mmCIF file of all heavy atoms in Angstrom:
data_model
loop_
_atom_site.group_PDB
_atom_site.id
_atom_site.type_symbol
_atom_site.label_atom_id
_atom_site.label_comp_id
_atom_site.label_asym_id
_atom_site.label_seq_id
_atom_site.Cartn_x
_atom_site.Cartn_y
_atom_site.Cartn_z
ATOM 1 N N ALA A 2 101.281 74.311 106.667
ATOM 2 C CA ALA A 2 102.651 74.712 106.928
ATOM 3 C C ALA A 2 102.672 75.786 108.052
ATOM 4 O O ALA A 2 101.889 76.690 108.073
ATOM 5 C CB ALA A 2 103.284 75.299 105.650
ATOM 6 N N VAL A 3 103.566 75.586 108.984
ATOM 7 C CA VAL A 3 103.646 76.465 110.194
ATOM 8 C C VAL A 3 104.983 77.212 110.185
ATOM 9 O O VAL A 3 106.014 76.643 110.009
ATOM 10 C CB VAL A 3 103.463 75.670 111.452
ATOM 11 C CG1 VAL A 3 103.521 76.574 112.699
ATOM 12 C CG2 VAL A 3 102.185 74.913 111.457
ATOM 13 N N VAL A 4 104.862 78.508 110.408
ATOM 14 C CA VAL A 4 106.053 79.363 110.560
ATOM 15 C C VAL A 4 105.943 80.032 111.903
ATOM 16 O O VAL A 4 104.943 80.575 112.285
ATOM 17 C CB VAL A 4 106.091 80.421 109.466
ATOM 18 C CG1 VAL A 4 107.240 81.351 109.650
ATOM 19 C CG2 VAL A 4 106.207 79.752 108.074
ATOM 20 N N SER A 5 107.101 80.054 112.653
ATOM 21 C CA SER A 5 107.159 80.656 113.914
ATOM 22 C C SER A 5 108.118 81.849 113.903
ATOM 23 O O SER A 5 109.028 81.877 113.105
ATOM 24 C CB SER A 5 107.507 79.690 115.000
ATOM 25 O OG SER A 5 108.915 79.302 114.839
ATOM 26 N N GLN A 6 107.918 82.813 114.765
ATOM 27 C CA GLN A 6 108.792 83.926 114.902
ATOM 28 C C GLN A 6 109.103 84.149 116.364
ATOM 29 O O GLN A 6 108.232 83.949 117.228
ATOM 30 C CB GLN A 6 108.138 85.223 114.385
ATOM 31 C CG GLN A 6 108.459 85.542 112.915
ATOM 32 C CD GLN A 6 107.844 86.871 112.434
ATOM 33 O OE1 GLN A 6 106.893 86.812 111.684
ATOM 34 N NE2 GLN A 6 108.507 87.951 112.798
ATOM 35 N N HIS A 7 110.338 84.581 116.621
ATOM 36 C CA HIS A 7 110.698 84.840 118.010
ATOM 37 C C HIS A 7 111.663 86.034 117.994
ATOM 38 O O HIS A 7 112.621 86.124 117.181
ATOM 39 C CB HIS A 7 111.370 83.632 118.595
ATOM 40 C CG HIS A 7 111.859 83.831 119.999
ATOM 41 N ND1 HIS A 7 111.014 83.804 121.105
ATOM 42 C CD2 HIS A 7 113.021 84.183 120.503
ATOM 43 C CE1 HIS A 7 111.646 84.030 122.132
ATOM 44 N NE2 HIS A 7 112.941 84.272 121.849
ATOM 45 N N PRO A 8 111.509 87.005 118.906
ATOM 46 C CA PRO A 8 110.413 87.121 119.867
ATOM 47 C C PRO A 8 109.131 87.632 119.231
ATOM 48 O O PRO A 8 109.124 88.059 118.098
ATOM 49 C CB PRO A 8 110.972 88.055 120.885
ATOM 50 C CG PRO A 8 111.833 88.990 120.072
ATOM 51 C CD PRO A 8 112.423 88.158 119.019
ATOM 52 N N SER A 9 108.046 87.539 120.008
ATOM 53 C CA SER A 9 106.795 88.118 119.462
ATOM 54 C C SER A 9 106.712 89.636 119.668
ATOM 55 O O SER A 9 106.051 90.285 118.933
ATOM 56 C CB SER A 9 105.582 87.471 120.151
ATOM 57 O OG SER A 9 105.723 87.595 121.585
ATOM 58 N N TRP A 10 107.485 90.093 120.669
ATOM 59 C CA TRP A 10 107.597 91.545 120.829
ATOM 60 C C TRP A 10 108.896 91.882 121.542
ATOM 61 O O TRP A 10 109.423 91.062 122.303
ATOM 62 C CB TRP A 10 106.417 92.203 121.593
ATOM 63 C CG TRP A 10 106.203 91.635 122.929
ATOM 64 C CD1 TRP A 10 105.427 90.608 123.287
ATOM 65 C CD2 TRP A 10 106.763 92.143 124.160
ATOM 66 N NE1 TRP A 10 105.499 90.388 124.639
ATOM 67 C CE2 TRP A 10 106.286 91.317 125.251
ATOM 68 C CE3 TRP A 10 107.632 93.206 124.467
ATOM 69 C CZ2 TRP A 10 106.671 91.582 126.534
ATOM 70 C CZ3 TRP A 10 107.953 93.457 125.777
ATOM 71 C CH2 TRP A 10 107.465 92.625 126.781
ATOM 72 N N VAL A 11 109.442 93.074 121.236
ATOM 73 C CA VAL A 11 110.724 93.443 121.863
ATOM 74 C C VAL A 11 110.784 94.932 121.968
ATOM 75 O O VAL A 11 110.312 95.656 121.070
ATOM 76 C CB VAL A 11 111.929 92.912 121.017
ATOM 77 C CG1 VAL A 11 111.831 93.375 119.601
ATOM 78 C CG2 VAL A 11 113.216 93.269 121.687
ATOM 79 N N ILE A 12 111.192 95.373 123.123
ATOM 80 C CA ILE A 12 111.447 96.817 123.408
ATOM 81 C C ILE A 12 112.934 97.003 123.625
ATOM 82 O O ILE A 12 113.587 96.276 124.357
ATOM 83 C CB ILE A 12 110.665 97.282 124.643
ATOM 84 C CG1 ILE A 12 109.173 97.061 124.427
ATOM 85 C CG2 ILE A 12 110.985 98.764 124.875
ATOM 86 C CD1 ILE A 12 108.371 97.349 125.704
ATOM 87 N N CYS A 13 113.508 97.931 122.904
ATOM 88 C CA CYS A 13 114.978 98.126 123.069
ATOM 89 C C CYS A 13 115.281 99.666 123.070
ATOM 90 O O CYS A 13 114.521 100.461 122.699
ATOM 91 C CB CYS A 13 115.747 97.460 121.956
ATOM 92 S SG CYS A 13 115.533 98.138 120.330
ATOM 93 N N LYS A 14 116.520 99.923 123.493
ATOM 94 C CA LYS A 14 116.978 101.330 123.505
ATOM 95 C C LYS A 14 117.563 101.706 122.151
ATOM 96 O O LYS A 14 118.106 100.831 121.407
ATOM 97 C CB LYS A 14 118.022 101.535 124.595
ATOM 98 C CG LYS A 14 117.536 101.389 125.999
ATOM 99 C CD LYS A 14 118.614 101.669 127.035
ATOM 100 C CE LYS A 14 118.104 101.550 128.463
ATOM 101 N NZ LYS A 14 119.222 101.830 129.429
ATOM 102 N N SER A 15 117.444 102.909 121.819
ATOM 103 C CA SER A 15 118.022 103.414 120.564
ATOM 104 C C SER A 15 119.492 103.107 120.504
ATOM 105 O O SER A 15 120.215 103.302 121.495
ATOM 106 C CB SER A 15 117.744 104.965 120.460
ATOM 107 O OG SER A 15 118.152 105.452 119.215
ATOM 108 N N GLY A 16 119.920 102.615 119.415
ATOM 109 C CA GLY A 16 121.347 102.346 119.191
ATOM 110 C C GLY A 16 121.754 100.876 119.409
ATOM 111 O O GLY A 16 122.808 100.461 119.022
ATOM 112 N N THR A 17 120.836 100.087 120.012
ATOM 113 C CA THR A 17 121.104 98.707 120.174
ATOM 114 C C THR A 17 120.717 97.914 118.940
ATOM 115 O O THR A 17 119.989 98.411 118.071
ATOM 116 C CB THR A 17 120.439 98.123 121.396
ATOM 117 O OG1 THR A 17 119.017 98.338 121.195
ATOM 118 C CG2 THR A 17 120.847 98.892 122.644
ATOM 119 N N SER A 18 121.055 96.620 118.874
ATOM 120 C CA SER A 18 120.748 95.800 117.823
ATOM 121 C C SER A 18 119.761 94.722 118.261
ATOM 122 O O SER A 18 119.843 94.317 119.420
ATOM 123 C CB SER A 18 121.977 95.114 117.201
ATOM 124 O OG SER A 18 122.817 96.009 116.568
ATOM 125 N N VAL A 19 118.859 94.389 117.419
ATOM 126 C CA VAL A 19 117.797 93.345 117.685
ATOM 127 C C VAL A 19 117.777 92.315 116.683
ATOM 128 O O VAL A 19 117.781 92.630 115.473
ATOM 129 C CB VAL A 19 116.382 94.093 117.801
ATOM 130 C CG1 VAL A 19 115.313 93.069 118.031
ATOM 131 C CG2 VAL A 19 116.401 95.171 118.835
ATOM 132 N N LYS A 20 117.750 91.051 117.150
ATOM 133 C CA LYS A 20 117.675 89.937 116.175
ATOM 134 C C LYS A 20 116.282 89.259 116.289
ATOM 135 O O LYS A 20 115.824 88.969 117.391
ATOM 136 C CB LYS A 20 118.802 88.929 116.491
ATOM 137 C CG LYS A 20 118.734 87.688 115.544
ATOM 138 C CD LYS A 20 119.723 86.619 115.911
ATOM 139 C CE LYS A 20 121.154 86.937 115.522
ATOM 140 N NZ LYS A 20 122.065 85.821 115.710
ATOM 141 N N ILE A 21 115.711 89.039 115.140
ATOM 142 C CA ILE A 21 114.369 88.350 115.037
ATOM 143 C C ILE A 21 114.621 87.050 114.291
ATOM 144 O O ILE A 21 115.180 87.031 113.230
ATOM 145 C CB ILE A 21 113.366 89.262 114.304
ATOM 146 C CG1 ILE A 21 113.217 90.552 115.030
ATOM 147 C CG2 ILE A 21 112.043 88.510 114.218
ATOM 148 C CD1 ILE A 21 112.364 91.620 114.258
ATOM 149 N N GLU A 22 114.052 85.953 114.835
ATOM 150 C CA GLU A 22 114.207 84.625 114.195
ATOM 151 C C GLU A 22 112.921 84.278 113.561
ATOM 152 O O GLU A 22 111.826 84.469 114.081
ATOM 153 C CB GLU A 22 114.533 83.614 115.283
ATOM 154 C CG GLU A 22 115.942 83.699 115.819
ATOM 155 C CD GLU A 22 116.311 82.553 116.650
ATOM 156 O OE1 GLU A 22 115.443 81.720 116.976
ATOM 157 O OE2 GLU A 22 117.451 82.463 117.035
ATOM 158 N N CYS A 23 113.054 83.571 112.399
ATOM 159 C CA CYS A 23 111.939 83.065 111.715
ATOM 160 C C CYS A 23 112.224 81.555 111.340
ATOM 161 O O CYS A 23 113.256 81.282 110.775
ATOM 162 C CB CYS A 23 111.658 83.868 110.379
ATOM 163 S SG CYS A 23 110.354 83.251 109.340
ATOM 164 N N ARG A 24 111.330 80.722 111.803
ATOM 165 C CA ARG A 24 111.492 79.314 111.560
ATOM 166 C C ARG A 24 110.318 78.668 110.830
ATOM 167 O O ARG A 24 109.166 78.877 111.207
ATOM 168 C CB ARG A 24 111.747 78.599 112.886
ATOM 169 C CG ARG A 24 112.977 78.862 113.619
ATOM 170 C CD ARG A 24 113.106 78.097 114.927
ATOM 171 N NE ARG A 24 114.297 78.602 115.677
ATOM 172 C CZ ARG A 24 115.525 78.130 115.496
ATOM 173 N NH1 ARG A 24 115.744 77.212 114.590
ATOM 174 N NH2 ARG A 24 116.483 78.589 116.298
ATOM 175 N N SER A 25 110.647 77.775 109.908
ATOM 176 C CA SER A 25 109.630 76.873 109.345
ATOM 177 C C SER A 25 109.599 75.650 110.145
ATOM 178 O O SER A 25 110.665 75.027 110.338
ATOM 179 C CB SER A 25 109.839 76.656 107.868
ATOM 180 O OG SER A 25 111.107 76.032 107.636
ATOM 181 N N LEU A 26 108.433 75.194 110.609
ATOM 182 C CA LEU A 26 108.473 74.047 111.553
ATOM 183 C C LEU A 26 108.232 72.703 110.911
ATOM 184 O O LEU A 26 108.657 71.664 111.451
ATOM 185 C CB LEU A 26 107.351 74.265 112.614
ATOM 186 C CG LEU A 26 107.551 75.540 113.467
ATOM 187 C CD1 LEU A 26 106.482 75.636 114.555
ATOM 188 C CD2 LEU A 26 108.901 75.645 114.082
ATOM 189 N N ASP A 27 107.572 72.679 109.814
ATOM 190 C CA ASP A 27 107.211 71.377 109.244
ATOM 191 C C ASP A 27 107.425 71.379 107.712
ATOM 192 O O ASP A 27 106.842 70.496 107.030
ATOM 193 C CB ASP A 27 105.768 71.022 109.524
ATOM 194 C CG ASP A 27 104.761 72.133 109.173
ATOM 195 O OD1 ASP A 27 105.203 73.208 108.672
ATOM 196 O OD2 ASP A 27 103.632 71.938 109.411
ATOM 197 N N PHE A 28 108.290 72.200 107.227
ATOM 198 C CA PHE A 28 108.644 72.194 105.767
ATOM 199 C C PHE A 28 109.957 72.911 105.530
ATOM 200 O O PHE A 28 110.462 73.549 106.473
ATOM 201 C CB PHE A 28 107.490 72.848 104.917
ATOM 202 C CG PHE A 28 107.333 74.341 105.124
ATOM 203 C CD1 PHE A 28 107.931 75.210 104.289
ATOM 204 C CD2 PHE A 28 106.627 74.835 106.221
ATOM 205 C CE1 PHE A 28 107.788 76.578 104.443
ATOM 206 C CE2 PHE A 28 106.485 76.191 106.366
ATOM 207 C CZ PHE A 28 107.044 77.068 105.483
ATOM 208 N N GLN A 29 110.501 72.654 104.373
ATOM 209 C CA GLN A 29 111.751 73.303 104.075
ATOM 210 C C GLN A 29 111.522 74.702 103.469
ATOM 211 O O GLN A 29 110.789 74.763 102.430
ATOM 212 C CB GLN A 29 112.535 72.406 103.132
ATOM 213 C CG GLN A 29 113.042 71.158 103.711
ATOM 214 C CD GLN A 29 113.914 70.371 102.806
ATOM 215 O OE1 GLN A 29 113.834 70.553 101.560
ATOM 216 N NE2 GLN A 29 114.804 69.474 103.298
ATOM 217 N N ALA A 30 112.014 75.693 104.041
ATOM 218 C CA ALA A 30 111.839 77.060 103.575
ATOM 219 C C ALA A 30 112.994 77.507 102.658
ATOM 220 O O ALA A 30 113.895 78.085 103.103
ATOM 221 C CB ALA A 30 111.690 78.055 104.750
ATOM 222 N N THR A 31 112.876 77.056 101.419
ATOM 223 C CA THR A 31 113.954 77.431 100.517
ATOM 224 C C THR A 31 113.943 78.953 100.227
ATOM 225 O O THR A 31 115.041 79.461 99.921
ATOM 226 C CB THR A 31 113.776 76.678 99.153
ATOM 227 O OG1 THR A 31 112.424 76.849 98.671
ATOM 228 C CG2 THR A 31 114.033 75.215 99.294
ATOM 229 N N THR A 32 112.816 79.528 100.389
ATOM 230 C CA THR A 32 112.746 80.999 100.253
ATOM 231 C C THR A 32 112.038 81.584 101.434
ATOM 232 O O THR A 32 111.029 81.106 101.842
ATOM 233 C CB THR A 32 112.061 81.469 98.937
ATOM 234 O OG1 THR A 32 112.668 80.839 97.796
ATOM 235 C CG2 THR A 32 112.039 82.959 98.757
ATOM 236 N N MET A 33 112.573 82.688 101.960
ATOM 237 C CA MET A 33 111.977 83.398 103.092
ATOM 238 C C MET A 33 111.881 84.862 102.631
ATOM 239 O O MET A 33 112.774 85.362 101.953
ATOM 240 C CB MET A 33 112.737 83.185 104.367
ATOM 241 C CG MET A 33 112.422 81.836 105.026
ATOM 242 S SD MET A 33 113.159 81.703 106.684
ATOM 243 C CE MET A 33 112.376 80.281 107.340
ATOM 244 N N PHE A 34 110.785 85.428 103.164
ATOM 245 C CA PHE A 34 110.551 86.900 102.847
ATOM 246 C C PHE A 34 110.422 87.638 104.215
ATOM 247 O O PHE A 34 109.860 87.114 105.094
ATOM 248 C CB PHE A 34 109.218 87.045 102.063
ATOM 249 C CG PHE A 34 109.185 86.298 100.763
ATOM 250 C CD1 PHE A 34 108.737 85.005 100.724
ATOM 251 C CD2 PHE A 34 109.594 86.925 99.591
ATOM 252 C CE1 PHE A 34 108.648 84.239 99.473
ATOM 253 C CE2 PHE A 34 109.494 86.228 98.419
ATOM 254 C CZ PHE A 34 109.039 84.899 98.355
#
Side-chain angles (χ1 to χ4, degrees):
Chain A
V3 179
V4 176
S5 69
Q6 266 183 256
H7 178 80
S9 55
W10 60 270
V11 57
I12 301 173
C13 69
K14 291 182 179 179
S15 186
T17 60
S18 293
V19 174
K20 180 185 281 189
I21 302 170
E22 291 186 350
C23 177
R24 292 181 186 273
S25 60
L26 300 185
D27 52 1
F28 66 99
Q29 293 185 337
T31 51
T32 304
M33 283 186 165
F34 303 88

